[in-house]
Amino acid sequence: MDLSNRRILLSAIVIGVALLYIARLFYIQIVDDSYKLDALNNSRRFEVHHPARGLIYDRNGKLIVANEAAYDLMVVTGQIKDLDTAELLSIINVNKDLFLTELKKAQKSRFRPYPIIKQISAETYARLQERLFDFPGFYVQTRTVRNYPYHCGALVLGYISEVNNDDIKKDSYYEQGDYIGKIGLEKRYESYLRGVKGGNYYQVDVKGRVKGSLEDGKYDKTVVLGKNITTTLDIELQQYGEKLMQNKKGSIVAIDPKTGEILALVSSPTFDPNSMVGRLVSENYNKLVRDPLKPLYNRPIQGVYPPGSTFKTVNALIGLQEEIVTQNTMYGCLSGYYSGGLHVGCHNHVSPINLIESIKMSCNAYYCNEFRSIMDAPKYGSVREGFLKWQSYIKAFGLGKPLGIDLPSEKSGNIPRAESYDRTYGKNRWNSLTIVSLAIGQGEITETPLQMANIAATIANKGYYYTPHLVKEIDDTVFDNSFIQRHDLPIAKKNFDIVTEGMYQVVNGGPGATAWWLAIKGLDICGKTGTAQNPHGEDHSMFMAFAPRNNPKIAIAVCVENGGFGATLAAPMAVLMIEKYLTDTITNTWREQQVLEKSISYKN
Amino acid sequence: MARKVENILRNIDWHIVVIYVFLVFAGWLNIYSAVFDENATSIFDAGQKYGKQLIWIIAAFLLAIGVLIFDSRFYFKFAYIFYFLIILSLVGVYLFAPEIKGARSWFEVGPLRVQPSEFAKLATSAVVARFMGRYDFKINRLSDIVKLGGLLALPGLLIVMQGDAGSALVFSAFFLVFYREGMPFTIILLGVYAILIFALSIIWGGLILSIIAVVLCYLAFFLYGMQKAHKISIVKMLLVPFAFVIPAVVYRYFHIDSSVVVIFVIGFVILFVPVAFYTYKKRVPTLLIIFGIALGSVFISQSVEYVFTNLLEAHQRTRINVFFGLESDPQGSEFNVIQSKIAIGSGDWMGKGFLNGTQTKNDFVPEQSTDFIFCTIGEEWGFLGSFVIIGLFVYLILRIMYDAEQQRTAFSRIYGYSVASILFFHVLINIGMTIGLMPVIGIPLPFFSYGGSSLWGFTLLLFIFVKLDANRTELIQ
């Protein structure tokens, strides 16, 4: 028997195995990419360097958003060895279940560092640091967190929190565990404040020990520090405003009329921005979300209210500019306005009165007459045309659209439209009487407190305003401030002089003026009260003002929800704010005390 | 003497020698890379593995030259003596050697560590070649089979006792030699069948596999009986299953407190009588063969548990379970394989280049320089490098088998096939485990893996054949 042929089968077995192995190698080396990714994750570690976030200053250079060190306990599960959980927990003092669930999450990747316990305290860090070698796989990463030394301005300044999946989807810059501005300036100026994170690539071995830099740092990225921002806010005024607003719902907006710089933007109720830092963030946040008084609602730019009597100044200016009335035009008032079965009430005052007195005493009848005179003026040909002319003026005042403040989510308010009247009453079936409530700032018109303050600023400037804004400058950066624009109104300066005189009389006109008891000698405050009718309860108390009369430095709007007459609550608050800002002292502490103690209970 | 040297140089198979030298140096480069560390001083640093390996390599070359110079008849004449000495050292190492990595496999002689089992393959090859090369050897004769089995089993068992089951497994490579020398192919098939039964028993459990095997054999018997030529009555055939069913029912009913094996033992004992009677009467062995296969299958599948608990170490059990996907142990024994696949898989076409392997260099793969040296090749030299290395091994093995057929003496031929089979088995297992196609069995990649004993063992193994081949014209006997 010749057995030498058996070599063929033996050779075939050898070749067959070789082919099988080569096919397998082809698959894992060429076809399947997952091993390459695993290899990368295995062997390189990117140590991220987070730049310090930009600081935020107020207009006087006071630090209002600071950074402080925080310590995150990190874990690389692949490096854990003989973990004594109980021992570790006793040092960091953390709930065991929480720790174990986080550890489970961390175990999804053996090699990637995972922040297992965030923001451990400095003392815990110090204690842990000494024992860290007992817990291989664990280390502490230092990070900075925000600190708000003045404990105010939460909604203006905003806060930062960890990115969620949406944030990562929108911008690939972010990775799990990064922080992002969520609201306010932190959000609006995120790209300046955050800087650019960098870091170094290292080669690591199986135990996670660094074996040197990766290709001599070819891929390393340098860190760019976050930019510091100087805001227009006067933090002490902001703080004072929030103090005045305590236990009330409402807003205060103070603007430097010459520049459009916002001095204070108070929303009440509010919260301490420091509560959005630290381990209790989610607990605190949920509390805010559930609060029926909606502290997360930024009222000065998101709340919309009928302007009430403060709007009479606007109507006066339109009538003057359109030469429907002059400062000497007189209308009578018999405790109200009566026409065709309609009655608009008014309070007792002398009659008839001229335009300046009408502002001083806030006469409803005067403005009903004046407004209807505009609408019905023969020069327009029809009420519709008259209405459209009127509408073009109120648009020029910045109503009906967002002003463009550098904060997210500004509301536009509402201005009446001829089309919607057509829908409600039938085309051209409406007349000046139908819409007469606009004369006194009621009806279909609403505005944000910011818009009201902007009107005050416009009157203070006698015919123009700058887009209200919060940021003055950004360090080392040409700050794109093109959104700040000067808006000139098609209304003559002399007409503003007349209305200004009226507003001056409101405060300084002696008995009979709506806010005469608030006059402060030397401050020359010009103001206008407003009481916005509120179908749901007590009227809203409004006041807009600027001061001093010549060379105004501050324009302000105050709105207290359910605060009653404008003169009773909003006006004294505005005056206190003005006095605080202009003189830095409060002369009438009794008035201040009253405002502070005033507490309004809200049902819902 | 000069003429003799000239003769040797002319007659040796340079294909084999060149591939050997290439593989050894490629191996050294990969060891260098695997243990490379930027702070290391000299490549000849004897404190480092690559420095030591360089010394082993030089020594191996001297050994190879020595082997070529020696008279080839020496290897034939001293086969038994050498075998005897190796057996002695295996016993000695078991009795006296310190335990290293769970095995007593190394003699420590000063700075040297010698592993006798690496030389046992060589001695066994020589003794097998000598025994089978006898004129009166008959591969089908029982006494010869028993003697041959003894020659293999003796070192094999001693190595198992040392705790190095992987090295012992290498002796199964001799079945390829036996096949070449006339062993029926059926035996190889039966061997493959036995491995299959064993593997499936691990996966599905011994009892299920026993039942499947018995049912399949019964079906074979049924088909055989239905054929006109044999015609066994249906009633008789239907009675057969009761040999197992009745004991099973009794076992269940009386809650007998012993292994299920009893059922099978009783069943097979009952059936043996009619089967033996039929075979004797008809003089046709078919039924007996079917019976034997059933019995063997049950024996193997039932012994899996015994082998697992009594013959294997815990880590070996885990490795096998992991390989069959029955156990997951990513931190432990599975870790090697995962990391090994990652290292090789990241190699792509051309690899990352010498010393640029990130996985190999940074110790991700344990046993990198020894059992998992192929990772370095896969990672740093890519698919192309791996292809070349596998190709060279295949060429070397085929070349040895080709040369073996050219031999004039049975001794040289059988020895050649032994060398080829051992090399093949090592490559099959070692590369297979690094790419996840074989369970982790710790045996070295010939010529590549770090370690003096392994390199010397393979060098001697190979060069004795080269010498025999060079002298093939001189008849040995």
Side-chain angles (χ1 to χ4, degrees):
Chain A
M1 184 165 63
D2 183 16
L3 291 169
S4 62
N5 285 336
R6 291 200 161 186
R7 184 169 68 92
I8 295 165
L9 181 70
L10 291 172
S11 304
I13 292 173
V14 172
I15 291 168
V17 167
L19 289 179
L20 174 71
Y21 281 14
I22 285 167
R24 170 74 170 176
L25 282 166
F26 186 81
Y27 179 75
I28 67 172
Q29 292 189 304
I30 315 283
V31 180
D32 190 347
D33 276 338
S34 64
Y35 293 109
K36 290 171 194 73
L37 275 177
D38 286 345
L40 281 185
N41 293 340
N42 245 355
S43 63
R44 65 169 65 164
R45 182 195 294 160
F46 184 64
E47 206 173 278
V48 185
H49 298 280
H50 287 279
R53 199 171 168 88
L55 304 173
I56 301 181
Y57 295 93
D58 90 336
R59 63 190 296 112
N60 301 315
K62 291 183 176 124
L63 184 60
I64 56 177
V65 182
N67 288 330
E68 64 178 23
Y71 309 97
D72 290 347
L73 182 62
M74 309 290 289
V75 65
V76 180
T77 54
Q79 299 166 20
I80 294 180
K81 213 180 219 171
D82 310 324
L83 174 60
D84 186 346
T85 312
E87 182 71 23
L88 181 60
L89 288 178
S90 75
I91 298 174
I92 58 175
N93 196 14
V94 167
N95 177 283
K96 186 172 180 183
D97 293 334
L98 178 79
F99 180 81
L100 291 179
T101 41
E102 286 295 312
L103 189 62
K104 200 160 260 170
K105 280 189 213 161
Q107 272 156 348
K108 282 179 190 154
S109 168
R110 280 170 47 77
F111 300 103
R112 205 163 297 143
Y114 179 86
I116 183 158
I117 303 293
K118 282 187 204 119
Q119 297 184 19
I120 57 176
S121 69
E123 307 92 79
T124 308
Y125 171 59
R127 250 182 301 142
L128 184 60
Q129 191 67 9
E130 291 169 19
R131 298 284 315 279
L132 215 48
F133 63 89
D134 285 336
F135 307 103
F138 290 86
Y139 66 97
V140 174
Q141 191 172 64
T142 316
R143 201 162 50 78
T144 57
V145 294
R146 286 308 217 191
N147 178 263
Y148 305 86
Y150 288 86
H151 301 268
C152 70
L155 293 174
V156 188
L157 302 173
Y159 58 85
I160 56 174
S161 71
E162 259 190 84
V163 289
N164 55 34
N165 290 336
D166 286 345
D167 297 326
I168 296 173
K169 229 177 269 170
K170 265 185 227 141
D171 186 346
S172 59
Y173 171 86
Y174 297 100
E175 291 167 329
Q176 210 71 55
D178 283 355
Y179 279 71
I180 189 172
K182 283 292 178 188
I183 60 169
L185 292 173
E186 295 274 26
K187 177 174 180 176
R188 175 64 166 71
Y189 290 96
E190 167 72 11
S191 58
Y192 297 98
L193 290 167
R194 76 178 182 201
V196 181
K197 63 187 170 187
N200 304 327
Y201 281 100
Y202 294 107
Q203 284 202 51
V204 293
D205 70 2
V206 64
K207 298 201 180 72
R209 289 178 300 217
V210 171
K211 290 288 222 180
S213 66
L214 185 78
E215 296 183 36
D216 296 323
K218 202 166 103 185
Y219 303 107
D220 291 359
K221 285 184 255 177
T222 42
V223 169
V224 180
L225 289 176
K227 301 270 188 283
N228 295 344
I229 287 180
T230 302
T231 62
T232 63
L233 290 171
D234 181 319
I235 196 63
E236 287 182 0
L237 188 66
Q238 173 79 24
Q239 207 174 18
Y240 186 62
E242 290 186 11
K243 195 168 133 196
L244 293 178
M245 250 320 160
Q246 67 191 11
N247 302 320
K248 300 168 265 291
K249 279 206 287 190
S251 322
I252 301 173
V253 182
I255 300 177
D256 179 348
K258 295 222 169 51
T259 54
E261 290 172 0
I262 293 172
L263 305 169
L265 196 74
V266 174
S267 180
S268 183
T270 184
F271 56 94
D272 184 348
N274 290 305
S275 68
M276 291 310 215
V277 181
R279 290 235 299 270
L280 298 173
V281 166
S282 58
E283 207 171 300
N284 290 338
Y285 180 76
N286 288 334
K287 225 182 274 172
L288 293 175
V289 168
R290 281 197 297 267
D291 190 331
L293 299 181
K294 298 188 187 160
L296 286 169
Y297 182 55
N298 199 2
R299 290 179 163 78
I301 62 166
Q302 292 178 318
V304 289
Y305 310 90
S309 297
T310 64
F311 198 63
K312 288 171 182 166
T313 55
V314 174
N315 274 330
L317 284 164
I318 297 170
L320 288 165
Q321 183 65 26
E322 284 296 298
E323 294 171 342
I324 306 294
V325 291
T326 68
Q327 89 178 83
N328 299 318
T329 304
M330 309 276 274
Y331 290 109
C333 173
L334 300 167
S335 286
Y337 175 76
Y338 299 88
S339 178
L342 180 88
H343 168 67
V344 178
C346 193
H347 53 96
N348 268 328
H349 57 79
V350 292
S351 174
I353 50 173
N354 66 17
L355 189 135
I356 291 172
E357 288 165 327
S358 75
I359 296 173
K360 173 183 168 185
M361 299 172 192
S362 195
C363 175
N364 287 344
Y366 190 96
Y367 284 93
C368 291
N369 284 311
E370 190 251 12
F371 180 75
R372 292 194 66 191
S373 302
I374 299 170
M375 297 296 139
D376 296 335
K379 66 172 180 176
Y380 304 122
S382 71
V383 173
R384 189 188 190 84
E385 288 306 311
F387 173 79
L388 291 176
K389 186 71 197 173
W390 175 85
Q391 195 193 45
S392 74
Y393 279 106
I394 65 164
K395 279 183 182 165
F397 274 98
L399 300 182
K401 62 176 191 325
L403 285 169
I405 187 180
D406 46 353
L407 278 183
S409 327
E410 186 196 357
K411 286 270 168 59
S412 60
N414 185 52
I415 55 171
R417 278 162 224 284
E419 295 78 22
S420 56
Y421 288 136
D422 286 345
R423 267 201 301 282
T424 316
Y425 302 108
K427 193 156 174 90
N428 295 330
R429 298 278 303 275
W430 49 278
N431 56 38
S432 60
L433 187 61
T434 326
I435 59 173
V436 76
S437 54
L438 294 175
I440 55 168
Q442 301 288 345
E444 294 79 6
I445 188 161
T446 57
E447 62 184 19
T448 63
L450 179 70
Q451 285 167 326
M452 193 199 288
N454 192 53
I455 291 173
T458 310
I459 299 172
N461 288 336
K462 298 191 167 37
Y464 69 89
Y465 70 90
Y466 281 99
T467 310
H469 57 276
L470 281 158
V471 166
K472 239 179 144 116
E473 54 185 46
I474 299 177
D475 281 9
D476 315 318
T477 311
V478 182
F479 166 42
D480 177 18
N481 57 3
S482 60
F483 72 96
I484 304 166
Q485 278 173 349
R486 181 182 160 130
H487 299 262
D488 285 287
L489 276 72
I491 296 173
K493 186 171 170 294
K494 66 174 179 7
N495 296 327
F496 282 102
D497 288 335
I498 298 165
V499 171
T500 301
E501 174 61 22
M503 288 174 70
Y504 181 73
Q505 292 290 333
V506 166
V507 183
N508 303 286
T514 48
W516 66 274
W517 63 89
L518 295 170
I520 294 171
K521 219 171 153 89
L523 291 189
D524 293 346
I525 298 170
C526 307
K528 181 70 196 83
T529 55
T531 308
Q533 285 173 15
N534 175 14
H536 308 295
E538 185 79 12
D539 294 343
H540 301 317
S541 173
M542 316 277 215
F543 194 73
M544 72 175 194
F546 58 89
R549 175 178 180 174
N550 303 309
N551 190 25
K553 290 198 170 68
I554 178 170
I556 192 166
V558 178
C559 167
V560 185
E561 289 182 26
N562 313 109
F565 288 118
T568 56
L569 199 51
M573 285 167 90
V575 169
L576 287 167
M577 288 288 284
I578 290 169
E579 190 182 17
K580 169 87 180 165
Y581 181 67
L582 292 179
T583 68
D584 203 21
T585 46
I586 299 298
T587 47
N588 195 336
T589 48
W590 173 83
R591 184 183 297 148
E592 183 186 40
Q593 207 52 40
Q594 250 199 340
V595 169
L596 288 174
E597 282 168 6
K598 175 76 180 172
S599 168
I600 301 173
S601 62
Y602 297 91
K603 268 171 257 147
N604 44 348
Chain B
M1 184 68 192
R3 227 194 57 143
K4 196 181 165 193
V5 171
E6 198 183 304
N7 242 345
I8 292 169
L9 289 179
R10 195 173 44 223
N11 288 332
I12 60 175
D13 185 346
W14 286 101
H15 292 246
I16 292 175
V17 176
V18 167
I19 290 175
Y20 165 80
V21 172
F22 182 89
L23 291 178
V24 165
F25 272 110
W28 183 76
L29 281 182
N30 282 298
I31 291 167
Y32 181 72
S33 184
V35 297
F36 177 75
D37 158 357
E38 279 162 38
N39 309 318
T41 47
S42 155
I43 55 164
F44 302 111
D45 184 351
Q48 293 286 350
K49 280 187 174 176
Y50 44 82
K52 285 187 194 159
Q53 183 75 358
L54 203 58
I55 296 168
W56 306 153
I57 288 172
I58 291 165
F61 285 179
L62 293 176
L63 272 178
I65 292 167
V67 165
L68 292 179
I69 289 170
F70 250 63
D71 188 345
S72 58
R73 273 167 297 196
F74 170 82
Y75 310 116
F76 177 81
K77 289 234 170 89
F78 283 82
Y80 280 108
I81 293 170
F82 191 44
Y83 179 81
F84 176 70
L85 290 175
I86 288 293
I87 295 297
L88 268 188
S89 67
L90 285 176
V91 173
V93 91
Y94 174 68
L95 293 179
F96 306 117
E99 188 166 312
I100 298 167
K101 289 186 208 163
R104 296 179 188 278
S105 308
W106 285 272
F107 270 132
E108 288 199 342
V109 187
L112 278 181
R113 260 195 212 164
V114 182
Q115 192 180 358
S117 58
E118 287 299 334
F119 299 95
K121 298 165 204 165
L122 161 67
T124 310
S125 298
V127 88
V128 162
R130 172 128 189 217
F131 181 73
M132 289 177 75
R134 277 179 5 205
Y135 282 124
D136 56 347
F137 176 80
K138 289 271 182 306
I139 198 147
N140 295 326
R141 190 194 294 148
L142 191 64
S143 63
D144 281 351
I145 293 174
V146 169
K147 283 177 197 157
L148 191 57
L151 286 178
L152 289 185
L154 189 56
L157 287 175
L158 283 169
I159 293 170
V160 169
M161 282 161 66
Q162 289 171 8
D164 187 7
S167 292
L169 222 52
V170 176
F171 289 87
S172 57
F174 282 100
F175 277 91
L176 295 177
V177 182
F178 302 157
Y179 167 68
R180 164 61 187 82
E181 293 305 312
M183 182 185 77
F185 188 63
T186 330
I187 307 270
I188 299 251
L189 284 184
L190 282 176
V192 172
Y193 175 77
I195 292 170
L196 201 69
I197 293 279
F198 190 83
L200 290 177
S201 302
I202 292 171
I203 299 172
W204 294 334
L207 182 62
I208 292 174
L209 218 85
S210 297
I211 293 170
I212 291 174
V214 168
V215 169
L216 284 178
C217 287
Y218 177 64
L219 283 177
F221 161 68
F222 209 84
L223 290 176
Y224 171 81
M226 292 293 280
Q227 283 174 321
K228 271 199 183 123
H230 314 112
K231 195 82 182 124
I232 303 170
S233 81
I234 296 271
V235 180
K236 278 182 193 162
M237 289 198 291
L238 288 178
L239 280 174
V240 168
F242 287 98
F244 297 100
V245 171
I246 291 167
V249 169
V250 172
Y251 179 86
R252 274 303 283 182
Y253 189 77
F254 291 102
H255 302 288
I256 291 169
D257 192 25
S258 77
S259 169
V260 201
V261 182
V262 183
I263 300 170
F264 290 102
V265 171
I266 295 171
F268 281 118
V269 168
I270 293 171
L271 286 179
F272 180 72
V273 180
V275 168
F277 180 71
Y278 179 88
T279 309
Y280 176 74
K281 207 171 89 181
K282 301 263 169 142
R283 311 219 173 259
V284 182
T286 317
L287 269 195
L288 194 63
I289 289 170
I290 294 174
F291 180 83
I293 290 175
L295 184 63
S297 306
V298 170
F299 177 77
I300 293 170
S301 54
Q302 291 298 322
S303 63
V304 161
E305 205 186 311
Y306 176 81
V307 171
F308 246 51
T309 45
N310 295 320
L311 294 188
L312 294 183
E313 306 277 339
H315 71 277
Q316 291 166 330
R317 275 199 294 278
T318 321
R319 282 178 188 177
I320 290 172
N321 280 335
V322 163
F323 179 70
F324 287 118
L326 299 171
E327 212 176 290
S328 180
D329 185 18
Q331 309 285 329
S333 67
E334 206 177 344
F335 184 71
N336 291 22
V337 183
I338 293 172
Q339 294 302 329
S340 162
K341 283 197 280 187
I342 289 173
I344 295 173
S346 65
D348 217 318
W349 281 106
M350 306 295 288
K352 296 174 187 165
F354 183 51
L355 298 184
N356 288 332
T358 53
Q359 310 301 297
T360 29
K361 226 166 78 181
N362 296 326
D363 307 336
F364 280 98
V365 187
E367 303 296 329
Q368 178 82 56
S369 57
T370 54
D371 296 345
F372 281 89
I373 190 70
F374 192 75
C375 296
T376 320
I377 303 165
E379 189 185 14
E380 297 192 347
W381 307 99
F383 177 72
L384 232 61
S386 315
F387 185 90
V388 167
I389 296 303
I390 291 179
L392 284 175
F393 270 118
V394 168
Y395 183 75
L396 180 68
I397 291 164
L398 295 185
R399 181 80 189 175
I400 293 169
M401 293 203 296
Y402 169 81
D403 284 347
E405 289 296 343
Q406 314 304 313
Q407 304 305 312
R408 294 190 181 176
T409 66
F411 174 79
S412 301
R413 182 184 68 240
I414 295 166
Y415 183 79
Y417 268 101
S418 301
V419 174
S421 301
I422 289 169
L423 288 179
F424 173 64
F425 191 85
H426 271 268
V427 172
L428 172 82
I429 297 290
N430 183 284
I431 297 183
M433 80 180 175
T434 62
I435 56 180
L437 290 181
M438 285 280 165
V440 176
I441 296 171
I443 59 173
L445 185 61
F447 316 123
F448 269 83
S449 292
Y450 170 77
S453 300
S454 150
L455 180 63
W456 293 350
F458 281 114
T459 302
L460 290 172
L461 186 73
L462 184 67
F463 275 86
I464 288 174
F465 177 69
V466 172
K467 172 68 180 174
L468 291 173
D469 177 56
N471 277 12
R472 62 177 173 269
T473 47
E474 297 166 27
L475 202 65
I476 302 175
Q477 194 60 335

